[in-house]
Each structure stands twice: as structure tokens, then as C-alpha cells.
Amino acid sequence: MRRSLLNQRRVLLLLIAALLVAALAPVRWTAWLVRVPQWVVETTIAPPTDLLGRLGPGAAPGADPRQQVDAETLRAQINELQRMNYFLHQQLREAHEELALMRQITVQLGLERPPAMLAATVTARDARRGGTLLTINRGSRHGLRDGLTVAAGRDLVGEVVRTGPLTATVRVMTHDQQTFEAIVAPPDALNPGEGVSHLWLQYSSEHEAFFTSVAADADVEVGHYAISQRPRATSGFIIGRGVEVQPDPEQAILRRRLLIRPRFDIRRVDRVIVVVRAGASSAS
């Protein structure tokens, strides 16, 4: 290949030299060159000019059409690689965010061993009278099973109620059958041990909130957080915050009723985490 290129360059140099001689030579020499058959000239100069065409920046006359197609294919492949690179950077950024969130949850829940969590994307929603169902893009092949806790950050979303090989159905916790044992505490006292504990929360679709009854002198206010204690799988996750405190309709003098709503519309979440295995506390 290298020898062929050298030969083509030599022929090109000889041709240029011949043209210079013809320009400076007497008329009879130029007339002789003109009489040389055209096919001889084309055969002589075609290889070097094709070479120059391939080395040029664009599709020069005489360039091989197959090389132009190859260039277009290469350009398309480069664009596809750039798109894949952008997608992978996004995935890496989301993975870093999820790892940071898991570390934060581990610290806030006072765990020595972090819980095993799996990130998932919500692919469908089904709002019905009995509650909202979410479909996520993880299933039994990813380690999911029925009964697992689903959250968005540190806020509870619901639990897995049906598992397929590649997808799972999550029942959002805002339905009339949902109850929790919880502790109610100020936002700056999220660690266990502070606040009013062992309160039973029941969801009311009429008020679109959880409600509980507390003593009239209990230290609960609007803005306080309700943090789950039971079921154990949900322990430490935020159920919601107090939005209203009013006299209990049944015991107005002795007790008050606290209404609690999730901190955001958990029926509209796009990304969730599934707690595949609970973390271990220092007491366990």
C-alpha cells in the first residue's frame, strides 16, 4: 500500500514537471503533448487525482460514492455514541443521588447497617375508589416481593401488593384501610425518642388525611411530622405533617384531633425506592 502511494506521487510529480516544461518549451513540444491520446492522460492522472480527492475536506469530483456513505454512517454512529454518553451520565448522576439518599436515611433512622433499597420508575397510575395503584418497572427478577415498603426519599408512598417478573403494583397508602402506629414530633426532632409516641393513625378519604386523637395537653401542633413506628417495615419513614388541630368531636374537652397529610401528592410521584431489606439498628 505504501509503495502504491509513492508510485502515485511520483507520477503526479512527473505530470506537473511535464506541464511546466510544456509551458516553457517551444510550440512544437506543446503541440506534441496535445496530440497524446486522451485515454493515456486520463489513465496517468486518474490515480493521483482520486487520491487528492479522498484527502480533501469534501466530496471532490471522482470521489468513491461508497466512501461518502461510509462517512455518513460514521457520523450517525458518532451522534448515537454521544446520545448514549449523555444517557449514561444521567444514569450515573441518578445513582449518586440515590446513594446519597440511602446514606441520609441510614443516618436519620439511626441504623448501623443501611437498608437494601432498589430504585424504580413509575410507569402507570390507576386511580380507583379503593385507592391509587402505581405500576413500577421492577419485579420479582429484581428481588421484589409482595409486602415490601415503597417510599419517595424518606416519605412513605405505600407497599407492593402484586409482583410480576419485571413489574410490580404498589398500593398508595392513602386509602381507608390504612393504619399506622406513629410518633408525632417537631421537624427538628426526627430521631426516635422525642415527641408524642404510640399514636394510631387512620386514613379518612372524606378528609383526605390521616387522623388521630391526642390528649388536650399533648404537645402536637400544625407542622409537626408523623413518623411511622409500626408496621416495622415502615418504621422511621415520614407519613406526613400536621395540617389541622381541632377539638375531638367525641371528647371536645379532654381530647383534640390531629389531621395529617403527606408532605406532597404521593399519587403523582415518578421515582420511588423499594425497601428490599430493612436496615439493622444498634439495638438488634
Side-chain angles (χ1 to χ4, degrees):
M1 178 66 182
R2 186 176 179 182
R3 181 175 297 177
S4 175
L5 289 175
L6 290 174
N7 291 336
Q8 291 176 355
R9 290 175 182 173
R10 289 172 182 171
V11 171
L12 183 60
L13 290 174
L14 290 173
L15 179 61
I16 294 172
L19 293 175
L20 288 174
V21 170
L24 299 175
V27 177
R28 60 179 180 271
W29 285 98
T30 57
W32 178 84
L33 286 174
V34 170
R35 289 195 299 270
V36 173
Q38 185 176 358
W39 67 269
V40 175
V41 177
E42 290 178 352
T43 304
T44 305
I45 67 173
T49 53
D50 286 345
L51 177 62
L52 291 175
R54 289 195 297 269
L55 295 176
D64 190 345
R66 290 174 299 179
Q67 293 177 349
Q68 297 180 33
V69 173
D70 291 344
E72 293 174 1
T73 303
L74 181 60
R75 195 177 301 111
Q77 291 175 347
I78 291 173
N79 291 336
E80 181 63 23
L81 287 174
Q82 290 175 339
R83 283 192 294 269
M84 290 178 60
N85 184 52
Y86 176 74
F87 173 76
L88 289 174
H89 273 290
Q90 280 189 316
Q91 293 290 96
L92 183 61
R93 178 178 56 79
E94 291 176 0
H96 279 298
E97 291 175 355
E98 289 163 3
L99 286 173
L101 174 62
M102 292 176 188
R103 286 194 293 266
Q104 179 185 2
I105 291 174
T106 301
V107 172
Q108 289 178 339
L109 298 184
L111 302 175
E112 286 187 344
R113 186 185 69 195
M117 300 181 184
L118 184 66
T121 300
V122 176
T123 58
R125 295 176 176 82
D126 182 9
R128 54 182 65 187
R129 189 171 182 178
T132 300
L133 299 178
L134 306 177
T135 301
I136 59 176
N137 64 342
R138 295 290 185 270
S140 58
R141 292 187 182 179
H142 306 95
L144 268 59
R145 61 186 184 277
D146 294 357
L148 294 179
T149 297
V150 180
R154 201 186 163 187
D155 293 77
L156 273 175
V157 172
E159 69 172 339
V160 176
V161 294
R162 187 166 58 249
T163 310
L166 299 176
T167 62
T169 302
V170 177
R171 189 179 191 185
V172 174
M173 66 177 180
T174 49
H175 59 86
D176 286 332
Q177 289 77 36
Q178 184 68 66
T179 60
F180 291 101
E181 183 180 351
I183 180 172
V184 176
D188 57 355
L190 293 181
N191 292 322
E194 299 184 44
V196 182
S197 60
H198 304 295
L199 297 176
W200 283 99
L201 275 59
Q202 171 78 45
Y203 186 77
S204 168
S205 57
E206 178 184 353
H207 297 91
E208 294 187 344
F210 291 90
F211 68 92
T212 187
S213 180
V214 299
D217 59 351
D219 184 19
V220 294
E221 302 291 344
V222 171
H224 283 194
Y225 286 177
I227 306 164
S228 177
Q229 292 179 297
R230 292 180 186 275
R232 184 177 180 277
T234 67
S235 179
F237 286 95
I238 297 173
I239 299 169
R241 64 183 171 192
V243 295
E244 186 178 337
V245 180
Q246 55 186 233
D248 191 313
E250 298 179 1
Q251 298 176 298
I253 298 177
L254 300 177
R255 304 189 69 82
R256 294 184 297 168
R257 187 170 69 174
L258 173 65
L259 295 182
I260 295 167
R261 288 196 181 101
R263 295 193 294 173
F264 53 89
D265 190 353
I266 56 177
R267 297 168 298 182
R268 300 294 179 185
V269 294
D270 296 317
R271 297 274 295 176
V272 297
I273 54 174
V274 184
V275 183
V276 180
R277 185 192 69 242
S281 63
S282 56
S284 59

